[in-house]
Amino acid sequence: MGFTMGLNFVLLLVMVATNILSLYHLSSTVQSPNPPPPVPVPDHLLRQLNTIRATINHLTRHNPPSSTTAEPSSAVPRDLILHSQIGPIASSCHNHPDLLHRYMNYTPFSTCPYDPDIQETLILNGCHPLPRRRCFSRTPSKPPSSLPLTPFPTSLPDSGVIWNKYSCKSFACLSQNNPTGFDLNAQRSSLLKYTSELDLPLTQFMQLAKSANSPIRLGIDIGGGTGTFAALMKKSYNVTMLTTTMNVNAPYNEAVALRGLVPLHVPLQQRFPVFDGTMDLVRCGRAVNRWIPLSVMEFMFYDVDRVLRGGGYLWVDRFFSKAVDLEKIYGPLIGKLGYKKVKWAVANKTDPSGLKHGEVYLSALLQKPVSKS
């Protein structure tokens, strides 16, 4: 309703401006049977018309009126419109005005409010990067006097985190209540040992890459939690891995950074902030699974293809979904990439949820063609 009224008002302005322009032209021609050369349209009238035209374009672009008429054959395909709304930076900020108002309610040139919960919600809803603020970021009151020099320290310094918004107030508490995420050695064995067909030990992966003459130097670990995969790659093979992670109920980004690794605070629907064709490896951990909307997942895989160099690897580690969906939806989706299947292993998910929903795991190693033209 608001959009329609606004558009009608703008259209009325157009009619008025057009009539004024028409009268102007008529007044310059009806006074003499032999009209003089046309008088140029004044700049102020042209500026008004251009402003009105831009306003209409803006309104119709962001709030297209509903219509029951069939779309012409030349209309933009709906899937392209959908993908244009998934990826652009900050494209969804206007959908959350209340949160955005709370986030931007601060005193300029002072310390920023500590509001990671608001930031996280906005980012997960596509408002990322967040609008800039003219305030100074808050830091821990007593920062650690020394930082770990190894990615596998005996413990992480609690003083490197602002704990106000979290139920746990220390890494020991997080390790006790969330051992899979914050026990720095929890995932280590699964990445180094072969216990089932779903496993791909790092030694085997690096040997495969070496035999294919495809060196591994740089990579991204999607949904990497506290960065254990990146830590192993750094310590064992001197490989630089960027870890995408979110601070959902815990300081995952701080944990990654305290291990001397690079966290990327980006959600799964966000474009990777790296240049095209520069990564040797992209790994999708267990954060990538059937709960992700299909359109977001497709966007993510095509962005993986964008950042991978020719001959680089996509490692899908224990992706889970219903067996029928893997066969009919996710398998064909991954297959669209046209990558070589180095490994493709499927096994039943045997926990209560997996048994109840008929779910399976997929572990796959796929190699991008050396060249595409």
Side-chain angles (χ1 to χ4, degrees):
M1 176 67 73
F3 165 76
T4 304
M5 294 177 63
L7 186 57
N8 288 338
F9 178 72
V10 173
L11 291 174
L12 179 61
L13 290 177
V14 173
M15 293 173 61
V16 172
T18 304
N19 289 336
I20 292 174
L21 191 61
S22 299
L23 287 172
Y24 179 84
H25 278 289
L26 286 172
S27 65
S28 65
T29 58
V30 297
Q31 296 177 359
S32 171
N34 299 315
V39 179
V41 179
D43 289 340
H44 71 277
L45 285 180
L46 289 177
R47 284 197 298 269
Q48 289 181 18
L49 287 173
N50 288 333
T51 300
I52 293 170
R53 184 183 298 112
T55 303
I56 293 176
N57 289 338
H58 175 80
L59 289 172
T60 54
R61 183 171 63 251
H62 291 283
N63 298 281
S66 57
S67 174
T68 56
T69 58
E71 294 184 355
S73 58
S74 60
V76 178
R78 289 185 180 274
D79 58 339
L80 291 184
I81 296 176
L82 171 65
H83 282 253
S84 72
Q85 295 169 348
I86 293 174
I89 292 174
S91 60
S92 297
C93 289
H94 68 279
N95 293 331
H96 306 278
D98 294 338
L99 281 174
L100 200 59
H101 175 73
R102 289 169 59 192
Y103 176 74
M104 296 301 291
N105 185 18
Y106 68 95
T107 303
F109 314 116
S110 64
T111 303
C112 296
Y114 186 65
D115 46 15
D117 49 342
I118 298 177
Q119 296 181 36
E120 209 74 12
T121 303
L122 283 170
I123 291 173
L124 289 171
N125 282 283
C127 184
H128 184 71
L130 295 169
R132 294 181 178 181
R133 301 194 289 196
R134 292 181 298 161
C135 57
F136 306 105
S137 62
R138 190 179 298 270
T139 58
S141 57
K142 296 181 180 179
S145 57
S146 62
L147 294 171
L149 299 178
T150 170
F152 288 99
T154 55
S155 63
L156 295 175
D158 296 332
S159 57
V161 177
I162 301 175
W163 297 94
N164 299 15
K165 297 290 185 178
Y166 304 117
S167 56
C168 274
K169 306 301 180 184
S170 68
F171 283 112
C173 172
L174 288 171
S175 180
Q176 183 178 357
N177 291 277
N178 184 10
T180 302
F182 282 87
D183 182 344
L184 303 187
N185 294 298
Q187 296 178 341
R188 196 170 184 171
S189 60
S190 65
L191 293 168
L192 296 176
K193 297 180 181 178
Y194 184 92
T195 58
S196 76
E197 57 186 332
L198 295 173
D199 294 323
L200 179 59
L202 284 182
T203 52
Q204 183 182 358
F205 165 69
M206 296 300 288
Q207 194 158 13
L208 285 169
K210 183 178 180 180
S211 62
N213 196 26
S214 182
I216 305 298
R217 309 152 301 132
L218 301 170
I220 301 175
D221 187 19
I222 302 175
T226 56
T228 296
F229 182 82
L232 279 171
M233 294 295 280
K234 177 181 180 179
K235 183 177 181 180
S236 302
Y237 302 101
N238 195 30
V239 173
T240 300
M241 296 292 300
L242 309 176
T243 301
T244 76
T245 189
M246 298 295 296
N247 279 18
V248 179
N249 302 321
Y252 288 94
N253 280 272
E254 292 93 325
V256 173
L258 287 170
R259 300 177 78 172
L261 308 169
V262 183
L264 294 179
H265 191 207
V266 296
L268 295 175
Q269 71 266 32
Q270 176 63 37
R271 180 183 188 271
F272 300 122
V274 297
F275 194 70
D276 300 5
T278 54
M279 297 292 106
D280 305 314
L281 168 66
V282 175
R283 174 181 175 267
C284 299
R286 300 189 188 188
V288 180
N289 55 62
R290 74 181 182 94
W291 297 113
I292 302 171
L294 187 61
S295 55
V296 172
M297 188 178 298
E298 184 177 22
F299 172 86
M300 184 198 71
F301 279 130
Y302 277 106
D303 207 42
V304 167
D305 180 77
R306 178 185 67 81
V307 302
L308 273 178
R309 63 168 174 80
Y313 290 94
L314 167 60
W315 183 347
V316 180
D317 192 359
R318 283 178 169 79
F319 172 90
F320 72 85
S321 70
K322 294 181 179 180
V324 63
D325 290 340
L326 178 62
E327 179 183 355
K328 295 184 177 181
I329 300 175
Y330 300 113
L333 175 62
I334 297 173
K336 287 181 181 179
L337 296 172
Y339 289 8
K340 174 185 176 182
K341 290 184 179 179
V342 180
K343 176 184 177 73
W344 187 277
V346 179
N348 291 328
K349 189 169 179 281
T350 56
D351 62 1
S353 175
L355 295 173
K356 178 180 178 180
H357 297 102
E359 294 173 332
V360 295
Y361 280 121
L362 165 67
S363 284
L365 182 65
L366 309 163
Q367 186 177 24
K368 182 175 179 176
V370 174
S371 63
K372 282 188 175 183
S373 57

